[in-house]
Amino acid sequence: MGKKSNKQEEKTEYGESAQYDPTFNGPIHKRSCTDVICCIIFMAAIAGYLVVGILAWLYGDPRHVLYPRNSTGMFCGLGLNKEQTSVFYFDIIKCATATNIMAAALNGLQCPTTQVCVKQCPDEFWVIDVVTAYLPGALAKDVFKQDYCVPSIDLSTTALTVKQILDRELCPYFTIPTAAVLGRCLPKIGSLNEIPESFVLPGISSPNETADAIRNATGDLVSGFNAEEIGVRIFEDFASSWHWILIGLLIAMLVSLLFLLLLRFTAAVIVWVLIVGVLGVLAYGIWHCYWEYDNFKTSELTFNDVGFTTNFSVYLQIRDTWLAFLIILCVVEAILLLLLIFLRKRILIAIELIKESSKAVGYMMSALVYPLVTFVLLVVCVAYWGITALYLATSGEPLYRVVALNSTQADCSSVNGTEPCNPLQFNSSSYQTSCPSVSCIFIKYNNEGLVQRNIFNLQIYNVLAFLWCVNFAIALGQCTLAGAFASYYWAFKKPSDIPMFPVTQSFMRCLRYHVGSLAFGALILTIVQFIRIVLEYLDHKFRAAQNGCTRFIMCCLKCCFWCLEKFIKFLNRNAYIMIAIYGRNFCVSAKDAFLLLLRNIVRVVVLDKVTDLLLFFGKLLVVGGVGVLAFFFFSGRIRMPGDTFSAEQLNYYWVPIITVVVGAYLIASGCFSVYSMCVDTLFLCFLEDLERNDGTKEKPYYMSKNLMKILNKKNKVPKSD
């Protein structure tokens, strides 16, 4: 009697056990809407998100980002410049080394040099010969190329001298080999190693200094290769190998399904092989450490002799290092052996639940297709967020100011960049006497309107709504799968008692009754994720000004919120399972799930680790196997009969290999996420089954015969699986 009382007290410490309900036989169908207030707030947030998207679409113009502009503000590749798709900078060095007072006013948005739209970027080193070009009889058409001069000047008829054209920056002083990168003519870094000796710019003493100045001007925009050329080659590789890539992804899907099928029959073998393998690796490590320790018995080197060094290989020459490794591995091996001895029954339960999950997935193959629904929803969320962010970033009309492009001229200091102008109507003749190089240049986007003044706030709302929608889509998928797999567990006679189209029924229940609860859980996770984003932003923004103490505090905050996010994901996942089964609101479901898991904490840990081990092994098998096969095929080591495809057709054979590996990982993650959700759902149902029922005729167990055998339980009424 005393033992029973203590057991009852132990249970009530983490909540009361689930009570028997004679009417319960699976996910409850007669349920009501939950967390209605949160549902209304979520719908209002979605409506607000749509309004933000409409405002962004009305006021934004992504052409500002997608297409480059010339100095007159016209887009290259559109309208009159349809054939001129790239913008050419007259003096790329001014992007980094300009010293005039307008460099700061430009805010890095545009170089203080003339820009023209061109059909083809310059591909040669050329610099004007001032000795011959400044002669009185020199003609502009014999010195410059019309394609690289501003459209307003006609070299064949102009009366301007070469010097006047250069002072007004109507034509470039020099050209270098460039390539179009995102519509901008940027230097080919490789060509800068071959600058002719005669190519020396004003104010620079040698070709090497010229090359350094150009590299500094282009910065990170060019990383030493022709991006357009590589992009074309990669596209060609996809065009010639796309059908083989699809075959590789199909193989990855078949291998994933085959692995899940084999788990039904070989789960116990795989788990024990993995466990024995881990113990065997540790045993080998113990032997090797002892062998190394014994070999260094004549060594007199100590830690005091070595001190602190970053060359860790030095520590391996110390005998005590191997002794420390030996002790650590022995302790770990002993702990694992003890856990294996005392938790063997729980490991058997975990294995049986994994086998049962394989059966459930086998009965509901449509569940393996459902991740495609979640994937489509996530793609829609990401696409809407990206487009909205782009349109918001380009909201407002572009503003132009009068700028002196050549600050070395005496009277250009009066042009301070505050005078507004219209690049299409700008007339520089009034400035020609004092400052010939004056121009009308884009400064920034107008931020004076109501929408423009709140761009930052709208971008924050865009991020918050995006995170909320993404987390809701994931929650909807988890709750849908949980309801389907719960209907499998609570079917007393399988498969005859399993309802028709369980995944579809569960999906409709979630949308009809539990949008508010799913949105509630997604909102909690969104808030934590947003705080993590803010912390990362602040850490990046003020990293240079941080001392050791602030860096430690920031690191602790980021670590704490990372742990909090992981815990909330775990709590939400189990709460969604309870919502799918019983139809209660989020808070009650989260509490019931959490207390149920606390009452069975050891089983939770064992099942979690065994499942993680299996899924890791499965992903390693799928991704590694398909990746190795793709490597041997696309590198030419395996050839198909008939020579339908040859590795020599590829420019970069690693492109399809990486594509297949990434695709295989996504496919394996999608299949195994369904399997993991099935294991978690059946585990909670199993725990509820133990608390609700006792095996009598009135309260029979719903678990499989093998599970009952492991637990030494049985139904008085025979149960057919």
Side-chain angles (χ1 to χ4, degrees):
M1 190 69 179
K3 290 183 179 181
K4 184 177 180 180
S5 177
N6 293 335
K7 184 178 180 181
Q8 185 66 27
E9 290 178 2
E10 184 180 352
K11 284 187 176 182
T12 57
E13 182 180 354
Y14 298 112
E16 295 182 1
S17 302
Q19 302 299 316
Y20 172 71
D21 182 0
T23 63
F24 179 77
N25 61 351
I28 296 174
H29 294 277
K30 293 183 179 180
R31 54 179 73 193
S32 59
C33 296
T34 56
D35 296 305
V36 178
I37 296 178
C38 194
C39 178
I40 295 173
I41 295 174
F42 181 64
M43 294 302 176
I46 295 297
Y49 200 17
L50 294 176
V51 171
V52 170
I54 294 173
L55 290 175
W57 181 77
L58 291 176
Y59 290 94
D61 188 353
R63 295 181 302 173
H64 299 327
V65 176
L66 300 178
Y67 295 94
R69 290 174 177 267
N70 62 14
S71 295
T72 64
M74 298 183 66
F75 294 108
C76 299
L78 293 177
L80 297 176
N81 296 321
K82 185 176 181 179
E83 296 182 357
Q84 290 80 26
T85 57
S86 302
V87 64
F88 166 58
Y89 301 90
F90 276 14
D91 191 353
I92 191 70
I93 297 178
K94 287 186 177 181
C95 294
T97 62
T99 58
N100 62 54
I101 59 174
M102 278 308 302
L106 294 173
N107 295 323
L109 293 175
Q110 187 160 327
C111 296
T113 185
T114 302
Q115 301 160 48
V116 295
C117 298
V118 295
K119 290 182 180 179
Q120 186 176 0
C121 295
D123 58 359
E124 63 178 351
F125 286 103
W126 171 84
V127 64
I128 192 170
D129 185 356
V130 295
V131 176
T132 58
Y134 283 7
L135 292 175
L139 299 177
K141 65 179 181 179
D142 297 330
V143 177
F144 304 106
K145 292 184 178 180
Q146 181 68 55
D147 292 342
Y148 301 133
C149 295
V150 297
S152 61
I153 185 174
D154 187 348
L155 295 179
S156 61
T157 60
T158 183
L160 297 175
T161 65
V162 173
K163 186 177 186 303
Q164 289 173 330
I165 291 175
L166 291 176
D167 288 342
R168 299 177 186 181
E169 283 203 13
L170 300 178
C171 291
Y173 187 89
F174 67 94
T175 63
I176 60 175
T178 57
V181 179
L182 299 178
R184 278 81 174 171
C185 293
L186 298 178
K188 296 179 180 178
I189 299 299
S191 66
L192 298 181
N193 299 323
E194 304 173 357
I195 294 182
E197 291 293 332
S198 59
F199 189 82
V200 180
L201 302 181
I204 301 177
S205 60
S206 68
N208 290 335
E209 291 186 10
T210 300
D212 292 339
I214 294 173
R215 290 190 188 98
N216 292 335
T218 54
D220 296 332
L221 292 178
V222 179
S223 57
F225 56 84
N226 188 334
E228 181 184 35
E229 183 180 353
I230 289 182
V232 171
R233 290 183 177 181
I234 290 176
F235 180 79
E236 291 175 351
D237 290 342
F238 278 120
S240 60
S241 62
W242 64 269
H243 46 290
W244 295 105
I245 293 175
L246 290 180
I247 292 175
L249 298 180
L250 180 61
I251 292 174
M253 179 176 293
L254 293 177
V255 172
S256 299
L257 296 177
L258 180 62
F259 182 81
L260 296 180
L261 179 64
L262 289 177
L263 284 179
R264 181 172 179 176
F265 307 102
T266 63
V269 176
I270 294 176
V271 170
W272 287 115
V273 166
L274 291 175
I275 292 175
V276 172
V278 171
L279 295 175
V281 170
L282 289 174
Y284 171 78
I286 292 171
W287 173 84
H288 183 76
C289 290
Y290 176 78
W291 181 78
E292 293 283 359
Y293 176 75
D294 188 60
N295 283 347
F296 283 101
K297 59 185 176 182
T298 59
S299 175
E300 298 180 356
L301 191 64
T302 63
F303 287 108
N304 292 330
D305 299 331
V306 174
F308 177 77
T309 177
T310 56
N311 185 9
F312 295 103
S313 61
V314 176
Y315 293 115
L316 299 180
Q317 307 301 319
I318 303 175
R319 192 181 189 215
D320 290 343
T321 300
W322 295 104
L323 178 61
F325 288 160
L326 178 64
I327 295 173
I328 293 172
L329 291 179
C330 286
V331 171
V332 174
E333 182 86 349
I335 292 174
L336 290 181
L337 285 173
L338 290 174
L339 289 176
L340 187 61
I341 293 171
F342 290 104
L343 300 179
R344 61 188 184 280
K345 180 179 288 188
R346 291 181 171 87
I347 293 176
L348 292 175
I349 294 174
I351 293 172
E352 188 58 36
L353 280 172
I354 289 171
K355 293 167 64 177
E356 194 71 11
S357 299
S358 300
K359 292 182 183 179
V361 173
Y363 283 125
M364 302 179 187
M365 295 301 293
S366 60
L368 293 174
V369 182
Y370 186 82
L372 293 177
V373 178
T374 303
F375 177 75
V376 171
L377 292 176
L378 293 179
V379 169
V380 171
C381 293
V382 173
Y384 186 82
W385 166 78
I387 294 173
T388 302
L390 178 61
Y391 272 82
L392 284 175
T394 56
S395 295
E397 294 295 325
L399 298 180
Y400 297 86
R401 297 291 183 267
V402 180
V403 177
L405 298 175
N406 192 345
S407 62
T408 61
Q409 296 175 357
D411 296 328
C412 285
S413 58
S414 60
V415 182
N416 57 12
T418 58
E419 182 180 348
C421 60
N422 186 334
L424 299 179
Q425 302 174 358
F426 179 68
N427 186 358
S428 61
S429 59
S430 59
Y431 299 91
Q432 295 305 322
T433 303
S434 60
C435 190
S437 64
V438 73
S439 184
C440 182
I441 283 186
F442 165 73
I443 298 294
K444 62 179 181 178
Y445 297 111
N446 180 21
N447 58 0
E448 297 176 358
L450 178 61
V451 174
Q452 288 74 28
R453 288 198 303 268
N454 293 279
I455 290 297
F456 182 74
N457 297 330
L458 293 176
Q459 289 285 24
I460 291 178
Y461 186 87
N462 185 28
V463 173
L464 281 170
F466 164 71
L467 292 175
W468 199 358
C469 290
V470 166
N471 290 324
F472 176 81
I474 295 174
L476 179 61
Q478 292 177 344
C479 194
T480 298
L481 293 175
F485 291 127
S487 65
Y488 165 84
Y489 185 92
W490 295 109
F492 192 74
K493 296 181 180 180
K494 301 177 180 66
S496 59
D497 289 347
I498 300 176
M500 294 290 292
F501 308 111
V503 177
T504 304
Q505 290 186 23
S506 179
F507 179 74
M508 297 307 297
R509 284 198 301 269
C510 292
L511 286 183
R512 182 177 179 182
Y513 298 108
H514 305 304
V515 170
S517 297
L518 301 181
F520 191 6
L523 177 60
I524 297 173
L525 184 58
T526 297
I527 293 173
V528 176
Q529 290 175 336
F530 184 73
I531 293 175
R532 289 193 63 202
I533 293 175
V534 172
L535 289 175
E536 290 290 346
Y537 172 78
L538 293 177
D539 186 33
H540 175 75
K541 192 75 173 177
F542 303 108
R543 182 176 294 273
Q546 291 177 356
N547 54 32
C549 181
T550 55
R551 283 197 296 269
F552 174 76
I553 294 174
M554 182 62 70
C555 183
C556 290
L557 286 174
K558 292 196 294 185
C559 180
C560 290
F561 277 97
W562 178 84
C563 295
L564 180 60
E565 181 183 355
K566 294 297 181 182
F567 173 74
I568 289 177
K569 284 183 177 180
F570 171 78
L571 186 64
N572 284 1
R573 185 183 180 91
N574 291 283
Y576 299 148
I577 295 174
M578 287 298 195
I579 291 172
I581 299 174
Y582 300 107
R584 303 180 183 130
N585 63 45
F586 177 81
C587 292
V588 173
S589 299
K591 183 195 72 171
D592 292 344
F594 186 64
L595 294 178
L596 178 62
L597 295 174
L598 278 181
R599 293 195 294 269
N600 301 270
I601 188 63
V602 178
R603 286 173 177 162
V604 173
V605 174
V606 172
L607 179 73
D608 186 57
K609 296 309 172 188
V610 171
T611 305
D612 287 346
L613 191 65
L614 266 181
L615 296 185
F616 171 76
F617 178 75
K619 288 183 181 180
L620 188 65
L621 177 66
V622 174
V623 178
V626 175
V628 170
L629 181 63
F631 171 77
F632 279 101
F633 178 76
F634 290 111
S635 63
R637 290 170 173 81
I638 297 178
R639 293 184 177 272
M640 298 298 293
D643 292 331
T644 56
F645 175 81
S646 174
E648 286 75 15
Q649 300 175 11
L650 300 174
N651 297 298
Y652 310 107
Y653 71 87
W654 46 264
V655 171
I657 294 175
I658 293 177
T659 305
V660 170
V661 169
V662 173
Y665 176 79
L666 294 177
I667 291 173
S669 298
C671 292
F672 293 160
S673 66
V674 174
Y675 187 81
S676 178
M677 196 68 205
C678 181
V679 172
D680 291 345
T681 302
L682 297 188
F683 180 58
L684 282 183
C685 293
F686 163 72
L687 298 179
E688 288 266 329
D689 192 9
L690 284 176
E691 293 187 352
R692 283 178 176 275
N693 305 310
D694 56 10
T696 60
K697 182 178 179 180
E698 294 79 14
K699 298 188 288 184
Y701 291 116
Y702 284 77
M703 67 185 75
S704 65
K705 293 180 180 178
N706 290 333
L707 271 174
M708 285 190 284
K709 183 178 180 181
I710 294 171
L711 296 171
N712 294 322
K713 297 180 182 295
K714 62 180 180 178
N715 283 330
K716 294 183 179 180
V717 177
K719 178 179 180 295
S720 60
D721 289 328

